[in-house]
C-alpha cells in the first residue's frame, strides 16, 4: 500500500475527511517552502500538494499564476522541488506529498529521470494537469514502476466513458474539479458536486478529493460532507502573496488558516456519517 | 502512411500534436471534433462557407507575378499569393469565417480569440459583427501597445479587447488567457484559435480552413503557368498561413517548401522566435511540438519585430514536416525582413505586413540560387498598414 493509500484508508476508517493543502514550491522564496510544508502539517494537513512552477500555467487563475511568477523569479525548478521534498522528509516521514504541475518541465528532464529522483526524494504522487488520460499510456507504467501514484483530474464535463478510462489509469486518489473554470474561482454548488461524485463512484472505489472553490472553513466543511478529501490552494496562496514581504509570519498564518478548516471538517464529519 | 490522412484519430502528426489540456476541456474538444467531422462533409455547410469566402472575403486571391522584384533579385521568377487583398487584410479571415460558422452551428453565442499582431483579433471581431456574436479578444499587453491601430479596429467592430499582463505579455500569454476563459465559459463560448496550434482538433481544422490558399494556388499555377511552382515560401509564426499553402502540395515532391521563422536579432543570439530552427520538442498550449524552453522546461521569451511571429511554439504538423524533411525550416533576421519590406513596397507598390516580409526576405536569398525559368510563390499573408508605426519607430521617424 502506498503512503497515500494508507493515509486515506486510515482517515476513512476514522470517518474523517482528508485535508489537502496546495502551495507553489518556491513561493515566495525557495528557502521558505519546506518550513511552510511543516506548518501545513502542524495545521492539520493529511496530504500536501506541492505545485511545480511553470511559465505557462494555463489551468490556473491569477493567484497561482502570480505564485508561479514569484517562484520562477528564483528559478525554482522541478529538481529544486524534489530537493525540497527530500528536505521535508528529514523531519516528516508520514505525510504524503504530491507534486502537481505541467508536463513540459517533466518532459524536458525526461520522465524516467524525474520519476527516479522523485522516488528517491520521498515524493508519493504526481498530478500532471495537462496530461490527459489518452496521452497517459506511455506515462502510467513508468510512474508506477517508481512506486508513485498517478493522480488524475476529473471535471464536471467528464463523461462516463472518460471517467471509466481515467479510473483505470489512476491510483492514490482522484481529484475532482468542482467547477468549470480555473483555480481560484469562487462558485461552489455542492449539490452538483455530490451528484457528480455519485456518478464517479459508480466507476471506482478510489477516494475522491474535491478542489477549486474551497476558500475557508465553511466551504471546506460543506464539501467535506460529500468528498473523501478537500483541496485548498488559492486561499493559502493569497496569504502568501499578501505577506510575501514578511515571510517569517507565513508559517503561523498558514497553520492557523488550515487549523480552522481542520476543525470545521472534523466537527461535521460525525454528523455527516450519521445522516 | 498516406500523409494526407494525418492527423490520426487522436490528433497526432507522428509524435506531435495530441490533446494536452486539463480534463474540463477534453469533452468540449471531443464535441467540437465530432461537430466538425460531420459538418465538413455537409453540402449545405460547405456551400455556406464557399459563399462567404467568395462574397465576403473576396476569394480567390490573385496569384501575382512580381516582375520587378524578380528582375531586382535575379534568378527564379517571384509570384505573390495575395492574401493581403482579403477582407481585413490577411489570411486569418479564411479561418475565422470557418470557425465562426462552426460556432453558429453549435449554437454558441460568444466567441473568444487570442491575437498577437491583431490580425486574427480583427478577423474574429469582423466575423462576430457580421454574425451578431459577442466577441472578446485577448492580447498581450505589449502587443496592445505595438499594434494600436488594430486594437482600435477591434473596438470599432464591437469587440472587447482584454490586455494580458501575465508572463511575457505577448501572444503565448494571450493564448493561456483565452484557454482560461474557455474553460470557465465553455457552455456558451466558442474559442476561435488563430493559428494551427492548440489541442486537437484545432491544428487540423485551422489547417483545413486555410488550405483554400494552397488549393487555389494549384489551380492558378496550372492555368497561368501550365505547371506547379518549384518552390513555396511562407512565414511561420504558429504556422497557419504556411500550412494553408503547403498542405495541398505535400504529395507533389517537385515543389520544394520553405517555412521562414523569425530570426529576431539572429538565431545565434538567442533573441529570436524560431522554435523549429533552434528549439526542441516539448508540450505547450495543448499539443506536443517544437518549443523554445530553457533547461528546466520553462517556456522562454521570444523576440521578433513582428508581433504575429512572436510565439515560442509552432503548429504540430510543422514539427512533423520538419522531422520527415518535407519542408525546410529556415529563419531570417529582423533587419533582413525590414529590408525586404522596403524593397517590396518600393518595387511592387505593395506594402506587406512584417510577417510575410520574412518570407520575402528568404525568397530574396533563394531566387538567385535557382534558374530563371523556375518559379517561387511567396505567401503574402497580409498587408502592412498595421505595421507602419512599428517601422517608423524603429527607423526613428515620428508620425505625430
Ligand atoms: C499577416 C500575418 N501573417 C502571418 C502571421 C503569423 O501567423 P501564422 O504563422 O499562423 O500564419 C500573422 C499573425 O498575426 C499575420 O498577421
Amino acid at each position: 500500500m502506498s503512503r497515500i493509500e494508507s493515509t486515506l484508508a486510515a482517515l476513512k476508517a476514522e470517518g474523517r475527511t482528508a485535508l489537502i493543502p496546495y502551495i507553489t514550491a518556491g513561493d515566495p522564496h525557495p528557502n521558505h517552502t519546506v518550513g511552510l510544508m511543516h506548518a501545513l502539517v502542524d495545521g492539520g494537513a493529511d496530504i500536501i500538494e506541492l505545485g511545480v512552477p511553470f511559465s505557462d500555467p494555463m489551468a490556473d487563475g491569477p493567484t497561482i499564476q502570480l505564485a508561479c511568477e514569484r517562484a520562477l523569479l528564483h528559478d525554482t525548478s522541478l529538481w529544486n522541488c524534489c530537493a525540497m521534498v527530500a528536505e521535508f522528509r528529514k523531519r516528516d516521514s508520514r505525510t504524503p506529498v504530491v507534486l502537481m504541475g505541467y508536463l513540459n518541465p517533466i518532459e524536458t528532464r525526461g520522465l524516467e529521470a524525474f520519476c527516479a529522483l522523485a522516488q528517491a526524494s520521498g515524493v508519493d504522487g504526481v498530478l500532471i494537469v495537462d496530461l490527459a488520460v489518452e496521452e497517459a499510456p506511455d506515462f502510467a507504467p513508468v510512474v508506477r514502476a517508481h512506486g508513485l501514484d498517478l493522480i488524475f483530474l476529473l471535471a464536471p464535463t467528464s463523461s462516463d466513458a472518460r471517467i471509466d478510462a481515467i479510473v483505470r489509469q489512476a491510483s492514490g486518489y482522484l481529484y475532482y474539479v468542482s467547477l468549470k473554470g480555473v483555480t481560484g474561482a469562487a462558485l461552489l454548488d455542492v449539490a452538483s458536486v455530490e451528484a457528480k461524485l455519485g456518478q464517479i463512484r459508480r466507476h471506482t472505489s478510489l477516494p475522491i478529493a474535491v478542489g477549486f472553490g474551497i476558500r475557508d472553513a465553511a466551504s471546506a466543511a460543506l464539501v467535506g460532507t460529500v468528498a473523501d478529501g478537500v483541496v485548498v490552494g488559492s486561499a493559502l496562496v493569497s496569504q502568501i502573496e499578501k505577506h510575501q514581504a514578511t515571510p517569517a509570519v507565513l508559517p503561523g498564518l498558514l497553520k492557523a488558516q488550515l487549523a480552522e478548516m481542520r476543525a470545521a471538517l472534523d466537527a461535521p464529519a460525525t454528523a455527516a456519517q450519521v445522516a | 502512411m498516406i500523409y494526407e490522412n494525418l492527423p490520426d484519430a487522436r490528433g497526432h502528426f507522428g509524435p506531435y500534436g495530441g490533446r494536452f489540456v486539463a480534463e474540463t476541456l477534453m469533452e468540449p474538444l471531443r464535441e467540437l471534433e465530432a461537430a466538425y467531422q460531420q459538418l465538413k462533409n455537409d453540402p449545405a455547410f460547405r456551400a455556406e462557407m464557399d459563399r462567404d469566402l467568395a462574397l465576403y472575403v473576396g476569394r480567390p486571391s490573385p496569384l501575382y507575378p512580381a516582375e520587378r522584384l524578380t528582375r531586382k533579385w535575379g534568378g527564379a521568377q517571384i509570384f505573390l499569393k495575395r492574401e493581403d487583398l482579403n477582407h481585413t487584410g490577411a489570411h486569418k479571415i479564411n479561418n475565422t469565417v470557418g470557425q465562426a460558422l462552426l460556432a453558429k452551428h453549435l449554437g454558441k453565442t460568444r466567441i473568444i480569440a487570442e491575437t498577437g499582431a491583431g490580425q486574427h483579433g480583427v478577423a474574429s471581431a469582423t466575423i462576430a459583427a457580421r454574425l451578431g456574436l459577442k466577441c472578446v479578444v485577448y492580447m498581450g499587453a505589449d502587443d496592445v501597445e505595438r499594434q494600436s491601430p488594430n486594437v482600435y479596429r477591434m473596438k470599432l467592430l464591437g469587440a472587447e479587447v482584454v490586455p494580458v499582463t501575465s508572463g511575457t505579455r505577448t501572444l503565448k500569454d494571450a493564448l493561456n488567457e483565452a484557454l482560461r476563459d474557455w474553460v470557465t465559459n465553455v457552455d456558451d463560448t466558442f474559442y476561435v484559435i488563430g493559428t494551427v496550434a492548440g489541442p486537437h482538433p484545432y491544428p487540423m481544422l485551422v489547417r483545413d480552413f486555410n488550405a483554400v490558399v494552397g488549393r487555389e494556388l494549384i489551380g492558378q499555377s496550372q492555368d497561368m503557368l501550365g505547371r506547379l511552382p518549384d518552390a513555396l515560401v511562407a512565414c511561420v509564426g504558429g504556422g497557419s498561413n504556411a500550412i494553408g499553402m503547403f498542405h495541398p502540395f505535400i504529395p507533389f515532391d517537385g515543389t520544394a517548401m520553405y517555412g521562414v521563422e523569425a530570426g529576431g536579432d539572429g538565431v545565434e543570439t538567442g533573441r529570436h522566435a524560431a522554435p523549429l530552427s533552434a528549439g526542441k520538442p516539448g508540450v505547450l498550449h495543448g499539443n506536443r511540438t517544437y518549443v523554445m524552453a530553457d533547461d528546466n522546461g520553462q517556456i522562454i521569451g521570444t523576440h521578433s519585430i513582428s508581433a504575429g511571429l512572436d510565439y515560442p511554439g509552432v503548429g504540430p504538423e510543422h514539427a512533423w514536416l520538419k522531422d520527415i524533411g518535407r519542408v525546410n525550416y529556415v529563419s531570417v533576421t529582423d533587419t533582413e525582413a525590414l529590408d525586404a519590406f522596403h524593397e517590396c513596397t518600393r518595387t511592387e507598390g505593395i506594402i506587406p505586413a512584417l510577417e510575410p516580409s520574412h518570407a520575402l526576405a528568404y525568397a530574396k536569398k533563394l531566387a538567385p540560387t535557382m534558374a530563371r525559368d523556375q518559379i517561387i510563390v511567396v505567401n503574402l499573408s497580409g498587408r502592412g498598414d498595421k505595421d507602419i508605426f512599428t517601422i517608423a519607430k524603429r527607423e526613428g521617424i515620428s508620425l505625430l
Side-chain angles (χ1 to χ4, degrees):
Chain A
M1 228 200 235
S2 75
R3 188 155 32 198
I4 293 175
E5 285 168 344
S6 55
T7 301
L8 291 171
L11 284 164
K12 192 183 164 117
E14 295 166 28
R16 296 168 73 218
T17 306
L19 178 56
I20 309 177
Y22 165 100
I23 57 171
T24 303
D27 173 32
H29 187 283
N31 290 345
H32 300 302
T33 302
V34 174
L36 291 178
M37 290 169 75
H38 288 303
L40 295 173
V41 175
D42 292 344
D46 297 302
I47 296 174
I48 294 176
E49 287 185 357
L50 188 64
V52 180
F54 183 48
S55 53
D56 292 79
M58 65 180 177
D60 285 296
T63 305
I64 292 177
Q65 286 171 45
L66 288 172
C68 286
E69 290 186 14
R70 286 192 295 276
L72 290 175
L73 272 182
H74 307 292
D75 290 325
T76 309
S77 68
L78 183 60
W79 260 218
N80 296 149
C81 295
C82 291
M84 290 170 189
V85 178
E87 182 65 29
F88 173 76
R89 281 277 166 257
K90 289 183 183 166
R91 272 182 49 206
D92 189 322
S93 57
R94 193 180 51 92
T95 312
V97 178
V98 172
L99 291 185
M100 177 168 183
Y102 293 81
L103 192 51
N104 201 54
I106 295 175
E107 286 216 341
T108 303
R109 288 299 193 151
L111 181 65
E112 183 75 44
F114 162 65
C115 291
L117 181 63
Q119 181 179 32
S121 308
V123 171
D124 298 283
V126 183
L127 197 173
I128 308 170
V129 176
D130 53 351
L131 180 65
V133 68
E134 286 82 348
E135 301 287 349
D138 299 343
F139 279 74
V142 181
V143 173
R144 269 197 290 275
H146 289 89
L148 301 167
D149 282 314
L150 187 57
I151 291 141
F152 279 92
L153 299 175
L154 285 167
T157 50
S158 304
S159 61
D160 278 309
R162 291 198 58 76
I163 294 170
D164 206 51
I166 288 168
V167 302
R168 279 164 203 274
Q169 305 271 352
S171 64
Y173 60 96
L174 295 162
Y175 183 147
Y176 178 66
V177 173
S178 68
L179 48 86
K180 295 173 192 158
V182 292
T183 52
L187 180 106
L188 194 81
D189 171 2
V190 177
S192 71
V193 170
E194 186 173 15
K196 193 73 187 188
L197 296 193
Q199 183 190 353
I200 297 168
R201 287 196 170 109
R202 285 197 287 279
H203 297 263
T204 181
S205 56
L206 278 173
I208 308 174
V210 174
F212 286 39
I214 296 164
R215 327 185 61 82
D216 51 23
S219 47
L222 203 56
V223 174
T225 60
V226 298
D228 302 303
V230 299
V231 183
V232 53
S234 296
L236 300 172
V237 175
S238 319
Q239 283 292 328
I240 298 177
E241 177 179 353
K242 206 163 128 196
H243 299 284
Q244 53 180 300
T246 51
V249 305
L250 282 170
L253 283 174
L254 294 199
K255 178 183 163 186
Q257 201 179 357
L258 218 56
E260 248 181 71
M261 296 187 195
R262 174 84 270 165
L265 273 180
D266 288 346
T270 25
Q273 287 279 299
V274 174
Chain B
M1 178 185 332
I2 304 169
Y3 179 81
E4 295 94 286
N5 287 345
L6 291 184
D8 67 16
R10 279 162 56 208
H12 290 170
F13 302 88
Y16 302 108
R19 210 173 256 170
F20 295 88
V21 293
E23 174 62 19
T24 311
L25 288 179
M26 291 301 288
E27 191 60 20
L29 286 166
R30 194 196 59 73
E31 283 165 16
L32 171 60
E33 184 194 351
Y36 174 65
Q37 295 292 9
Q38 187 231 321
L39 281 171
K40 80 173 185 186
N41 297 316
D42 173 359
F45 182 80
R46 293 175 72 127
E48 202 176 351
M49 176 89 200
D50 289 345
R51 181 175 166 277
D52 276 1
L53 288 177
L55 303 183
Y56 193 62
V57 176
R59 303 207 69 90
S61 71
L63 178 61
Y64 164 77
E67 287 165 4
R68 297 224 313 140
L69 271 185
T70 299
R71 273 203 292 283
K72 194 152 190 254
W73 290 347
Q77 298 162 48
I78 310 277
F79 283 71
L80 305 177
K81 181 65 173 155
R82 297 290 308 276
E83 292 300 297
D84 61 314
L85 294 178
N86 293 340
H87 181 40
T88 71
H91 70 290
K92 298 280 181 189
I93 191 92
N94 302 321
N95 168 44
T96 51
V97 161
Q99 288 199 49
L101 279 183
L102 271 179
K104 207 177 85 174
H105 280 265
L106 289 168
K108 307 288 182 184
T109 53
R110 178 176 179 268
I111 63 171
I112 57 172
E114 85 295 341
T115 197
Q119 287 304 108
H120 175 61
V122 166
S124 301
T126 297
I127 199 73
R130 170 153 175 273
L131 296 178
L133 301 168
K134 195 173 170 341
C135 178
V136 176
V137 180
Y138 292 94
M139 189 168 187
D142 285 1
D143 293 335
V144 168
E145 219 164 279
R146 59 178 168 169
Q147 302 285 338
S148 57
N150 269 345
V151 174
Y152 187 54
R153 284 164 83 195
M154 288 183 261
K155 288 182 179 165
L156 286 174
L157 288 158
E160 182 191 342
V161 180
V162 181
V164 177
T165 54
S166 57
T168 59
R169 303 154 63 96
T170 58
L171 179 56
K172 82 171 175 73
D173 309 289
L175 227 148
N176 288 329
E177 207 53 35
L179 283 165
R180 292 179 188 121
D181 178 315
W182 195 36
V183 85
T184 308
N185 301 298
V186 65
D187 292 331
D188 70 344
T189 296
F190 188 101
Y191 180 16
V192 181
I193 295 191
T195 190
V196 282
H200 179 61
Y202 281 104
M204 171 180 75
L205 67 90
V206 176
R207 170 197 76 196
D208 290 354
F209 289 140
N210 269 302
V212 63
V213 175
R215 283 198 305 271
E216 260 176 35
L217 179 56
I218 289 175
Q220 287 169 324
S221 21
Q222 265 151 358
D223 290 349
M224 286 171 67
L225 314 162
R227 65 187 184 89
L228 296 182
D230 299 287
L232 307 179
V233 184
C235 65
V236 177
S240 65
N241 87 90
I243 209 76
M245 188 191 230
F246 295 168
H247 187 74
F249 280 88
I250 289 171
F252 302 115
D253 287 334
T255 301
M257 302 196 266
Y258 299 87
V260 188
E261 296 192 295
D265 292 344
V267 165
E268 67 291 348
T269 67
R271 293 175 51 82
H272 58 83
L276 289 167
S277 308
K280 53 193 174 215
V283 173
L284 177 66
H285 292 148
N287 67 91
R288 183 176 284 119
T289 185
Y290 280 78
V291 300
M292 288 173 52
D294 67 17
D295 292 342
N296 291 320
Q298 308 299 343
I299 305 302
I300 52 183
T302 50
H303 297 273
S304 169
I305 189 173
S306 147
L309 302 183
D310 225 347
Y311 182 61
V314 63
E317 190 164 1
H318 286 291
W320 173 236
L321 290 169
K322 172 189 161 76
D323 283 8
I324 63 169
R326 181 63 186 91
V327 177
N328 307 291
Y329 293 93
V330 296
S331 68
V332 303
T333 64
D334 285 353
T335 308
E336 289 170 323
L338 266 177
D339 289 347
F341 167 90
H342 285 299
E343 280 187 278
C344 180
T345 301
R346 290 293 190 93
T347 312
E348 295 291 349
I350 295 171
I351 303 182
L354 281 172
E355 291 81 12
S357 295
H358 287 69
L360 289 165
Y362 189 74
K364 178 182 174 176
K365 296 186 194 182
L366 183 63
T369 70
M370 293 169 62
R372 280 215 227 146
D373 60 353
Q374 291 192 296
I375 289 157
I376 299 175
V377 179
V378 175
N379 194 346
L380 201 79
S381 57
R383 66 178 185 229
D385 310 44
K386 70 182 174 60
D387 293 315
I388 58 175
F389 297 93
T390 304
I391 290 161
K393 193 171 163 199
R394 167 134 174 162
E395 297 180 345
I397 295 157
S398 168
L399 295 181
L400 298 173

